[in-house]
Amino acid sequence: MDDKLLVRVYDVGFGDCIYVRIPDGEGHYHVLIDCGTSASAAILEKILDDVFSMLPRDEEGKKRLDLLVAT
């Protein structure tokens, strides 16, 4: 499934939190759209842990998110 579009929509109670992984032929673009507005800290932490687990590491070993969209 690495070469397929991946979209995950998380239930944060109120608002949206969407993770999108877009294949580009050589790798992927990683996009996070919003994080909801009233999610409890425990819910948000669980969601962000899941998103971070899918992010690649850059040359310095840091997790890489290509785009954060806040609406």
Side-chain angles (χ1 to χ4, degrees):
M1 295 269 311
D2 258 2
D3 62 340
K4 305 292 184 196
L5 174 70
L6 173 68
V7 178
R8 288 196 175 178
V9 179
Y10 297 93
D11 181 8
V12 293
F14 182 73
D16 297 318
C17 182
I18 303 166
Y19 167 76
V20 183
R21 184 185 71 201
I22 306 166
D24 73 350
E26 298 177 15
H28 299 94
Y29 289 105
H30 302 269
V31 180
L32 184 62
I33 304 168
D34 293 335
C35 288
T37 57
S38 65
S40 72
I43 292 171
L44 188 56
E45 184 176 351
K46 183 177 179 183
I47 290 168
L48 293 178
D49 283 346
D50 188 57
V51 170
F52 289 152
S53 74
M54 293 182 280
L55 297 178
R57 294 190 181 275
D58 65 12
E59 297 81 30
E60 298 174 359
K62 297 178 182 176
K63 293 285 190 162
R64 186 192 88 226
L65 180 66
D66 297 302
L67 181 63
L68 175 62
V69 179
T71 63

